[in-house]
Amino acid sequence: MQSLQSLKNYRFDDLRQKIRDADLLRPLDVLLVGATGAGKSSTLNAVFGMEVAKVGDGVEPETQCVSSHGLHEFLRLHDCAGLGDGKAADLEHAKNIVYELQREITVGGQPWKFMDLALVLLDGGSRDMGTAFRLLESVVLKNIEPQRVIVAINQADMAMKGRHWNHEQNRPEAALAQFLDEKAESVQRRILESTGLRIRRPVCYSARAGYNVRALMDHIIDHVPTSRRPSATASG
């Protein structure tokens, strides 16, 4: 595990300017979703540079309800329970995700959707990402606009069963880098084929190893919307 450094000041001015230029509500609210074990809690810890969310060591998920973590006045991340804990639990978790994505607040007498973006985390160390794709296709993309969906592949150091990871330099070797690049392209293509929706190419990183976490933050900043997310009534 690499020592982690807070990203509180990373590209702060860029994020602040984009939010102000688009007249977005502050802070920008991002919902983290993914299958159990995808690394939502470890991602939060990597972004904050400290333990703000407990990471589960076994099969029991640590996150059972939405918890909110403000990095600063312009960005707030929300963690929620992962899918993959059984049919009954998954149905309940899916309902909670839908609720969060559809939740509204009133500002200045006008209703707006609370969540600005959804960050979907995939497990780069897993060969079976069926649960994650079902979550993305049947829950997330049906409840928030595709341009507001961010997809990222965590645990890059565990892909290819951990082979071709350079521990001294804390980065993938050429074979693994190519594998991750192909995986990101495959995810983008699969989503397009199954939903007809085109998302931006996922970024690969490892929260546990502290690898490419800044690229994840770049990915979030690149997805800052150009307008507030209107309520169902306003958009209808």
Side-chain angles (χ1 to χ4, degrees):
M1 175 72 178
Q2 298 292 311
S3 59
L4 301 177
Q5 184 177 8
S6 172
L7 298 184
K8 183 175 182 178
N9 296 320
Y10 179 68
R11 293 190 64 189
F12 176 82
D13 290 339
D14 291 342
L15 179 61
R16 176 179 59 186
Q17 193 62 47
K18 292 187 77 168
I19 289 174
R20 285 179 171 173
D21 287 348
D23 191 29
L24 303 179
L25 299 177
R26 299 194 297 268
L28 190 77
D29 286 295
V30 182
L31 183 67
L32 272 64
V33 297
T36 296
K40 297 186 299 298
S41 296
S42 60
T43 295
L44 280 168
N45 295 340
V47 169
F48 280 78
M50 59 186 292
E51 184 174 338
V52 296
K54 188 176 180 182
V55 178
D57 294 323
V59 296
E60 291 298 321
E62 290 295 339
T63 309
Q64 292 298 335
C65 58
V66 172
S67 56
S68 302
H69 307 272
L71 184 63
H72 44 60
E73 63 179 304
F74 290 97
L75 181 62
R76 182 165 53 196
L77 304 174
H78 304 263
D79 192 11
C80 63
L83 271 68
D85 304 324
K87 184 173 291 187
D90 282 358
L91 286 173
E92 190 62 29
H93 296 338
K95 288 180 182 178
N96 291 336
I97 292 170
V98 171
Y99 168 78
E100 291 297 331
L101 292 177
Q102 292 293 335
R103 182 155 61 110
E104 297 183 356
I105 57 172
T106 300
V107 178
Q110 186 171 349
W112 304 95
K113 290 288 176 63
F114 180 77
M115 290 295 173
D116 299 289
L117 298 168
L119 172 56
V120 181
L121 301 184
L122 306 182
D123 180 1
S126 174
R127 296 181 63 184
D128 180 15
M129 293 196 291
T131 298
F133 277 117
R134 287 193 298 273
L135 169 64
L136 181 58
E137 295 166 3
S138 64
V139 179
V140 177
L141 284 168
K142 288 187 177 180
N143 288 281
I144 189 170
E145 302 81 358
Q147 64 269 26
R148 294 178 181 268
V149 175
I150 310 168
V151 179
I153 302 174
N154 189 18
Q155 300 175 155
D157 57 319
M158 299 305 296
M160 299 184 77
K161 298 183 179 180
R163 297 191 300 269
H164 304 294
W165 181 262
N166 189 318
H167 291 276
E168 291 184 359
Q169 298 183 14
N170 195 46
R171 63 177 177 83
E173 295 174 348
L176 179 55
Q178 181 178 348
F179 176 84
L180 292 170
D181 190 56
E182 292 171 353
K183 191 162 194 170
E185 183 178 349
S186 174
V187 168
Q188 185 184 39
R189 183 173 61 250
R190 174 170 172 173
I191 293 171
L192 177 62
E193 292 172 349
S194 61
T195 67
L197 300 174
R198 185 180 299 277
I199 64 165
R200 297 189 191 183
R201 191 188 188 99
V203 63
C204 297
Y205 72 103
S206 172
R208 184 189 67 85
Y211 164 74
N212 228 22
V213 180
R214 288 194 171 195
L216 175 65
M217 182 62 77
D218 289 335
H219 208 40
I220 294 173
I221 295 174
D222 288 344
H223 278 81
V224 171
T226 57
S227 63
R228 296 181 184 181
R229 190 172 168 226
S231 70
T233 303
S235 58

